[in-house]
Amino acid sequence: MNWIKDKLIAYQLTKALRKPRLRDIGMPQKPKTAGIFAATQEEFEEAKKLIRDKWGFQIRIEGGYYADTHDAVESISPQKFSIWGLPSDYFNSLLEEKLDFILVPSLNLNPYLRYLLLLNPSGFKMGFLSEENGPYLDLMIKKEGEDLRANLEKLLKYFGKIKTTC
């Protein structure tokens, strides 16, 4: 049954990419909400820890990581999508709320996460440079080395520099 969802989510993603979306790209002075879309739980937890270290608990974090089965609150699985490849009501708050920024700590997101990222109306999406992430992100830097934390700190540093100049 999942292979049907996989095919239909790929179709929905292609269809959504062809339809241009208008959104305001804005730089918050002090972020209150952040999103994280990660390919694995480890990447999600590392990004969440970095955001907590930088801004503390004054910032609310939304999003999640891909999992084959829905086993945790933050997991995003095919079970939460309809047979037609559309997000269920489970994602209403994530798709309707404009987050201050979205952080993507993964080089390769699966179609489910890319579709949610594309549908989210947030003003600023950032992550690492890859051919796959190009159409979805506003700010991308090259990932150097294997240390995810150092790369995420560098990304947030550039985000801060852009924020201060805007």
Side-chain angles (χ1 to χ4, degrees), residues 86-134:
L86 298 172
S88 68
D89 292 340
Y90 179 79
F91 298 111
N92 280 350
S93 65
L94 183 63
L95 296 179
E96 293 172 1
E97 183 176 2
K98 186 175 179 184
L99 303 169
D100 290 329
F101 68 90
I102 295 179
L103 181 63
V104 179
S106 308
L107 284 173
N108 300 313
L109 292 177
N110 67 16
Y112 294 96
L113 293 172
R114 283 185 280 158
Y115 188 52
L116 291 175
L117 184 63
L118 187 64
L119 292 180
N120 188 286
S122 296
F124 202 79
K125 300 171 185 176
M126 59 185 162
F128 298 115
L129 179 65
S130 73
E131 185 108 4
E132 187 177 276
N133 288 345

Side-chain angles (χ1 to χ4, degrees), residues 16 43 150:
E43 290 176 342

Side-chain angles (χ1 to χ4, degrees), residues 34-45 47-48 61-67 70 72-77 90-91 94 99 102-106 109-110 113 116:
I36 302 171
F37 287 94
T40 65
Q41 183 177 9
E42 294 79 27
E43 290 176 342
F44 178 79
E45 293 298 330
K48 187 175 178 181
I61 299 174
E62 294 278 335
Y65 59 91
Y66 180 77
H70 189 69
V73 175
E74 291 100 0
S75 65
I76 296 172
S77 68
Y90 179 79
F91 298 111
L94 183 63
L99 303 169
I102 295 179
L103 181 63
V104 179
S106 308
L109 292 177
N110 67 16
L113 293 172
L116 291 175

Side-chain angles (χ1 to χ4, degrees), residues 5 27 41:
K5 282 186 185 179
M27 299 298 285
Q41 183 177 9

Side-chain angles (χ1 to χ4, degrees), residues 14-19 22-23 29 32 35 44 49 58 64 71 74 80 88 103 106 115-116 136 142 151 160 165:
T14 305
K15 186 171 99 175
L17 272 173
R18 278 188 260 140
K19 185 170 131 183
L22 296 176
R23 59 189 174 93
Q29 290 303 317
K32 293 179 178 63
F44 178 79
K49 185 176 183 313
Q58 293 128 356
D71 55 357
E74 291 100 0
K80 295 297 179 186
S88 68
L103 181 63
S106 308
Y115 188 52
L116 291 175
Y136 309 99
K142 186 175 180 184
N151 283 301
T165 58

Side-chain angles (χ1 to χ4, degrees), residues 1-12 77-89 112 115:
M1 189 68 103
N2 276 348
W3 66 271
I4 294 173
K5 282 186 185 179
D6 291 345
K7 295 288 184 195
L8 288 172
I9 195 75
Y11 168 75
Q12 294 290 351
S77 68
Q79 296 168 344
K80 295 297 179 186
F81 287 81
S82 72
I83 189 71
W84 305 109
L86 298 172
S88 68
D89 292 340
Y112 294 96
Y115 188 52

Side-chain angles (χ1 to χ4, degrees), residues 132-144:
E132 187 177 276
N133 288 345
Y136 309 99
L137 301 178
D138 302 313
L139 171 67
M140 294 184 290
I141 64 167
K142 186 175 180 184
K143 187 174 181 183
E144 297 173 354

